Amino acid sequence: MSELSRPDPDALIAQLRSDEARARRGKLRIYFGASAGVGKTWAMLSAAQRERKAGRDVLIGVVETHGRGETAALLAGLDALPLREIAYRGRTLAEFGLDAALARRPAVLLVDELAHTNAPGSRHAKRWQDVQELLAAGIEVWSALNVQHLESLNGTVGAITGVRVHETVPDSVLDEADEVVLVDVTPDELTARLAAGKVYLPQQAERAAQNFFRKGNLIALREIALRRTAEHVEDDVRGWRVEQSGPGTGLQAWHTSGAILACVGPHEGAAQTVRTAARLAGQLNVRWHAVYVETPRLQRLAAAERDRILAVLKLAEELGAATAVLTGDDVAGQLAEQARRLNCATLVLGRAEPATGWRRPWMAARVPLARALAQLAPALDILEVGRTDSARRLSRSPLGVAGARIDSDDHEQAPIHWPGYAWAAATSVALTLLCTPLTGVLELSNIVMLFLLGVVGVAMRFGRGPSALAALLNVAAFDYFFVPPRLSFAVSDVQYVLTFAIMLGVGLLVGQLTAGLRFAAGVSTSRERRARSLFELTRELSAALESTQVVALGAAAVQGHFGGHALVLVTDAADQLVAPADPPPGFDAQVADWAFRHGQSAGLATATLAAQPWHYVPLQAPMRVRGVLALEPAQPRWLLIPEQAQQLDTLARQIAIALERVHYVEVAQQAVVEIESERLRNALLGAISHDVRTPLTALIALAESLQTLPAEEHAEAARAIVAQAHELHALVNNLLDMARLESGIAGGAVNLRRDWQSVEEVVGSAIRAARTALGATVVQTALDAGLPLVEFDAVLIERVLVNLLENATRYGAPPIVVGARAEPGTLVLSVRDHGPGLPAALLGHEQKLFDKFTRGEVESATPGVGLGLAICKAVVSAHGGEIAAANARGGGAEFTVTLPRREPPEPAEAPL
């Protein structure tokens, strides 16, 4: 296979994952029509009856017949799910039972009225969100939808019919549907059905015929429905071509480029701009963005207008846009730069409101935004969206709280700073009093400079409004007290009028510029605070080694940035979310668990359980969801600001990554422990299988030989049996001693019986104890004269010397020299042989000799399991000393034991 024809592995993996996700997800079929009465529910129920007769499990979740007899007749034989009753304002509302449907899990579920708004207190605000959860659970859903309920067409349909539709569905729901069945009738047939009472009851039908169901409206809606269905079919064709495209297929994938940037303005037509951009992006199959540019002037908008802007940005997010808030004085420059950075080919603007009255000359002098953009970005396509008053108006306060600034962390609307105006008046009075005695000393031009300096100071300290007042008061004071004739507003010289005008203009200009600088400084401070909080959290999380540390650091960082209360919930060993033992007020563990299981945000400022006072964010790590971040912010509206929402998502992602890192560190540590345990077990089994089997085999052979050997040879065989038994006993003792010492080093209690001992006696007893292993090997001693008494455990230190002597006998050559000398603060014991020395492989790594199950020669007939030197190291470490191995001068290996010591106590005087 050639390189050109070989499939891309990444593309194959992505395709497999997409197919797997598609296989797990349920199918969505939408019966789509131009208006009510075309027969969508009737067609859906007719198809359900055919499926029931074919043997499929069909269940009615909710179906609205609107009193139509023909439609109600089709319900016969179909199982229906009981509706859920919700008490609301003294009434009982019947709603679709989502949990009951999830528990029932039918093959096909009928959920009518896709755009329906659920009653307050439901899990989701809209019924289409219930359908999304059903699809995620693998249930096939059939539903019905009218064209006027599509969000991007809301304004267009409203302009045609003059009727506002408040219940809408994002276009993505229709675009992602597996099947779209167009239910269509001609306008004349629909009008006849309306007159026959097959659409509405007689009273409703009469009003509908006079308003919505006019023939012109029906023709236009039918055309829109046909076009929208054709777009869906076109998307299916495009998807099929992309899947089938590739080398040798003869098909080429359709490539599209050129993103769309929608400009959200402060006027009420911004929602229509967003809808148009979403529809255009869907038709062109391109990504799109929505941006709002906040200037110092827009910062002073009323709270209701700022709420409307946030609602439009949220609408853009629901329609699939990536939103952002920019700040600056030049709107055109910010938009052009954003379009260049995002590689957008088209910019969608709302058409400016025509100026009337006194604003007409002022607006005529200003350069239109579209013209300014054309000059800054000549290659950018600019599309102006017409204004319409019949589109659905968005809620101006999604969270029901007061208005606030959009770009800053301090989002509450600042009240009028009356002390600033008082200071402006006081500054003017002070300057007047200061300059009055200087009238004969300073020129009037210098006095003007002093007054301008006062305006600059007020502007820097108190902002635009107080500086404007200071400019007006300073001009009036200068005219009244200093310009002849004094103490009068009359002017003797006309040139002073120009002075007044310049003085006032400079004062106002300085105030404006200073206010702009204050605005830019506030924006920079806000951005710096967000960056600093993210940097500090990342730095602290990088040093966290336990999940409890990550939880504490993450909650503190989120709470420090957003205020209020924050909780980081993690999972237990069973991968279940652990709720806090003492939950704070308003916290709902069930909502947190839902966000964890579905991997979606829930609660405050979301479309799922929006009435909750807490906002729940799943901690989505690269591999899986690691927990939930719960936040009750000090200002709920912050969650609607794109920058703040992105900050929260970034903080949650950092916490999730840290939790995953800690998890895999623990997994790696556990793996290392298991690998080491396996290595030690294999080494132990290998050593025991060799060194235990040998004496056991010898013991069995000797015992069997006693039956056949002559009596005079029984004594020799008995001595051999005793020798083999001693060797096996020493092996078992080494294993037991190593286990006891290791448990003490790991935190147990090593019982050291310290006492003042004579070094010469301990060396002598060790040589005697090792005589059996030494045999005829010559042992020499090199002990300094006058060795002091040393405090140690004589039995354990004797065991160290015995093991060193046995090791020298096995791997070295005689003579063996045992030495001891006293140095300041230490006692040095040494055991040296005159053999070949340490193996070349261990030179520079001598400490490996003291590891468990390590032998000087890996493959050797010399008995031993490699525990003798490990026991020596454990005993010496328990005494606070050190042991080392090295090649001695003149040949052989030398082992040195260094023990700490202190001066022995003075001997007590004998009693008289």
Side-chain angles (χ1 to χ4, degrees):
M1 182 182 292
S2 65
E3 291 293 334
L4 294 177
S5 59
R6 182 178 292 114
D8 183 7
D10 294 335
L12 289 177
I13 293 175
Q15 182 65 33
L16 289 175
R17 289 178 177 174
S18 177
D19 294 342
E20 182 181 358
R22 190 181 300 113
R24 291 196 304 264
R25 183 177 175 85
K27 293 184 178 181
L28 174 61
R29 177 189 293 183
I30 295 179
Y31 289 85
F32 189 58
S35 67
V38 297
K40 302 181 299 299
T41 304
W42 189 89
M44 180 174 64
L45 291 174
S46 299
Q49 290 287 358
R50 292 192 296 270
E51 292 293 317
R52 182 184 66 84
K53 293 178 182 178
R56 295 193 71 186
D57 180 18
V58 181
L59 178 67
I60 296 177
V62 57
V63 167
E64 299 290 346
T65 62
H66 298 288
R68 303 164 190 160
E70 296 178 355
T71 304
L74 292 174
L75 298 176
L78 293 174
D79 294 336
L81 197 68
L83 297 179
R84 185 168 60 98
E85 295 184 352
I86 299 178
Y88 179 67
R89 294 184 178 179
R91 300 171 55 193
T92 300
L93 304 179
E95 289 290 351
F96 168 61
L98 176 59
D99 292 327
L102 291 172
R104 174 70 163 72
R105 296 188 64 85
V108 178
L109 181 66
L110 308 185
V111 183
D112 202 3
E113 301 287 349
L114 189 60
H116 173 75
T117 300
N118 293 330
S122 302
R123 180 183 305 171
H124 300 294
K126 298 288 187 178
R127 184 169 290 173
W128 63 265
Q129 294 170 330
D130 296 339
V131 170
Q132 293 293 322
E133 185 169 347
L134 292 168
L135 296 175
I139 301 175
E140 182 175 347
V141 180
W142 294 0
S143 188
L145 181 68
N146 290 329
V147 69
Q148 65 263 30
H149 293 294
L150 280 179
E151 182 62 59
S152 67
L153 297 173
N154 183 269
T156 302
V157 174
I160 294 173
T161 63
V163 177
R164 298 175 183 173
V165 178
H166 297 277
E167 294 182 330
T168 58
V169 173
D171 290 47
S172 58
V173 176
L174 182 66
D175 295 335
E176 296 172 1
D178 298 274
E179 298 179 17
V180 175
V181 179
L182 178 65
V183 181
D184 181 50
V185 296
T186 64
D188 292 335
E189 182 181 352
L190 181 58
T191 303
R193 296 187 60 187
L194 180 66
K198 297 181 179 181
V199 178
Y200 293 127
L201 296 177
Q203 297 82 359
Q204 296 176 329
E206 184 178 354
R207 291 195 302 268
Q210 297 174 357
N211 297 292
F212 189 89
F213 281 82
R214 293 195 295 266
K215 185 173 183 178
N217 294 348
L218 298 179
I219 293 174
L221 293 179
R222 187 187 186 198
E223 178 185 4
I224 295 174
L226 291 171
R227 289 183 180 273
R228 193 62 182 84
T229 307
E231 290 174 6
H232 187 276
V233 175
E234 183 182 4
D235 291 339
D236 292 340
V237 173
R238 183 184 296 112
W240 180 84
R241 290 177 62 91
V242 170
E243 292 178 359
Q244 299 298 321
S245 63
T249 62
L251 294 173
Q252 296 297 325
W254 293 358
H255 299 286
T256 58
S257 60
I260 295 174
L261 178 64
C263 177
V264 176
H267 50 78
E268 290 194 4
Q272 181 65 13
T273 303
V274 165
R275 294 187 182 100
T276 301
R279 186 169 67 253
L280 183 61
Q283 293 172 350
L284 299 178
N285 194 26
V286 298
R287 56 187 173 87
W288 71 289
H289 307 263
V291 63
Y292 169 71
V293 181
E294 185 176 41
T295 63
R297 182 181 63 84
L298 296 179
Q299 179 189 348
R300 302 191 299 273
L301 290 175
E305 296 182 1
R306 286 195 299 274
D307 287 342
R308 184 173 58 245
I309 294 169
L310 291 177
V312 173
L313 290 175
K314 185 173 179 61
L315 172 64
E317 290 182 353
E318 293 175 353
L319 293 177
T323 60
V325 175
L326 307 178
T327 54
D329 294 329
D330 186 7
V331 177
Q334 293 289 338
L335 290 176
E337 176 62 23
Q338 185 78 347
R340 184 197 61 79
R341 188 176 65 85
L342 298 176
N343 194 27
C344 296
T346 305
L347 193 145
V348 180
L349 297 172
R351 184 170 298 165
E353 184 179 1
T356 58
W358 63 270
R359 297 175 54 200
R360 183 174 299 175
W362 171 259
M363 297 296 294
R366 297 180 58 185
V367 178
L369 179 59
R371 186 184 303 171
L373 283 168
Q375 295 174 355
L376 293 174
L380 186 66
D381 295 334
I382 300 174
L383 174 65
E384 286 192 358
V385 178
R387 300 176 62 85
T388 176
D389 295 331
S390 54
R392 176 178 61 95
R393 285 185 169 83
L394 301 175
S395 173
R396 292 184 297 180
S397 184
L399 296 180
V401 295
R405 269 182 62 179
I406 290 181
D407 72 299
S408 167
D409 288 328
D410 182 15
H411 292 282
E412 290 298 324
Q413 183 181 6
I416 298 177
H417 191 66
W418 295 113
Y421 290 94
W423 274 102
T427 301
S428 179
V429 173
L431 287 172
T432 302
L433 296 176
L434 175 64
C435 295
T436 299
L438 301 177
T439 304
V441 180
L442 298 178
E443 296 289 339
L444 291 181
S445 58
N446 294 327
I447 295 177
V448 169
M449 294 298 103
L450 290 176
F451 278 111
L452 288 178
L453 181 61
V455 174
V456 173
V458 172
M460 291 180 61
R461 180 63 180 86
F462 301 106
R464 179 185 294 102
S467 67
L469 177 62
L472 292 173
L473 293 178
N474 287 351
V475 170
F478 178 71
D479 180 17
Y480 189 82
F481 292 101
F482 300 99
V483 175
R486 299 177 61 184
L487 302 180
S488 173
F489 287 107
V491 178
S492 60
D493 192 344
V494 180
Q495 293 184 359
Y496 282 114
V497 176
L498 179 61
T499 303
F500 299 153
I502 295 175
M503 184 177 176
L504 179 61
V506 170
L508 295 176
L509 179 60
V510 167
Q512 180 72 15
L513 294 176
T514 306
L517 290 176
R518 286 165 56 87
F519 172 77
V523 172
S524 299
T525 302
S526 172
R527 292 176 177 173
E528 188 273 336
R529 181 173 180 267
R530 293 197 298 267
R532 185 177 67 252
S533 63
L534 182 59
F535 167 75
E536 291 176 352
L537 176 62
T538 304
R539 180 187 60 189
E540 293 173 353
L541 289 180
S542 64
L545 299 178
E546 297 180 355
S547 58
T548 54
Q549 294 176 312
V550 176
V551 168
L553 293 173
V558 175
Q559 187 169 328
H561 184 82
F562 290 92
H565 301 88
L567 295 174
V568 176
L569 310 179
V570 295
T571 57
D572 55 13
D575 201 24
Q576 298 294 323
L577 195 66
V578 180
D582 187 16
F587 177 83
D588 194 331
Q590 294 182 349
V591 181
D593 185 68
W594 188 92
F596 170 73
R597 289 186 291 104
H598 291 80
Q600 300 176 9
S601 298
L604 182 69
T606 68
T608 302
L609 299 171
Q612 291 286 326
W614 286 68
H615 181 77
Y616 303 87
V617 182
L619 298 177
Q620 181 69 56
M623 297 301 297
R624 62 184 181 87
V625 179
R626 294 290 171 183
V628 171
L629 171 62
L631 171 64
E632 185 185 28
Q635 297 295 332
R637 64 178 296 105
W638 286 14
L639 300 177
L640 296 178
I641 302 170
E643 277 69 20
Q644 297 296 342
Q646 293 170 6
Q647 179 78 0
L648 180 60
D649 290 341
T650 304
L651 292 175
R653 179 58 64 91
Q654 292 298 319
I655 296 172
I657 292 175
L659 288 173
E660 187 160 278
R661 175 182 60 80
V662 170
H663 169 73
Y664 283 115
V665 167
E666 294 174 353
V667 170
Q669 290 176 344
Q670 183 65 27
V672 170
V673 171
E674 292 177 356
I675 292 172
E676 184 65 18
S677 300
E678 185 70 17
R679 188 186 69 81
L680 291 177
R681 187 181 69 173
N682 293 337
L684 176 61
L685 291 175
I688 291 178
S689 64
H690 178 272
D691 291 287
V692 174
R693 182 176 57 188
T694 299
L696 284 177
T697 303
L699 285 172
I700 293 172
L702 290 170
E704 292 176 348
S705 66
L706 288 176
Q707 301 176 2
T708 59
L709 286 175
E712 60 272 12
E713 296 182 8
H714 282 187
E716 185 67 27
R719 284 193 295 270
I721 290 174
V722 171
Q724 293 295 334
H726 276 298
E727 189 161 332
L728 185 60
H729 180 264
L731 173 62
V732 174
N733 280 341
N734 277 341
L735 290 172
L736 294 177
D737 289 345
M738 192 69 244
R740 181 172 64 89
L741 292 170
E742 282 291 309
S743 65
I745 294 174
V750 179
N751 187 14
L752 294 180
R753 298 176 181 177
R754 294 178 181 268
D755 201 356
W756 296 99
Q757 307 289 342
S758 171
V759 178
E760 295 89 343
E761 292 181 2
V762 174
V763 171
S765 62
I767 295 174
R768 289 191 297 271
R771 179 50 60 188
T772 302
L774 291 172
T777 304
V778 178
V779 178
Q780 301 175 356
T781 58
L783 308 178
D784 288 355
L787 286 172
L789 297 178
V790 181
E791 188 180 23
F792 54 73
D793 189 325
V795 176
L796 292 179
I797 295 300
E798 178 184 323
R799 185 59 184 275
V800 170
L801 294 175
V802 170
N803 286 350
L804 293 178
L805 289 171
E806 292 179 352
N807 184 76
T809 303
R810 290 175 179 172
Y811 298 102
I816 299 175
V817 181
V818 180
R821 65 181 185 274
E823 295 183 353
T826 59
L827 172 68
V828 180
L829 302 174
S830 63
V831 177
R832 177 190 174 185
D833 64 72
H834 290 77
L838 300 178
L842 292 176
L843 295 180
H845 307 281
E846 291 83 358
Q847 284 298 321
K848 288 185 177 181
L849 280 171
F850 303 99
D851 294 341
K852 295 184 292 293
F853 309 111
T854 300
R855 305 176 64 190
E857 299 178 6
V858 179
E859 297 294 337
S860 174
T862 304
V865 295
L867 285 178
L869 294 180
I871 292 174
C872 293
K873 180 180 179 182
V875 171
V876 173
S877 298
H879 281 80
E882 297 179 354
I883 185 170
N887 284 329
R889 293 182 180 180
E894 182 176 14
F895 290 82
T896 304
V897 176
T898 304
L899 298 175
R901 74 176 184 89
R902 58 190 178 93
E903 294 299 325
E906 295 293 334
E909 295 183 359
L912 296 177

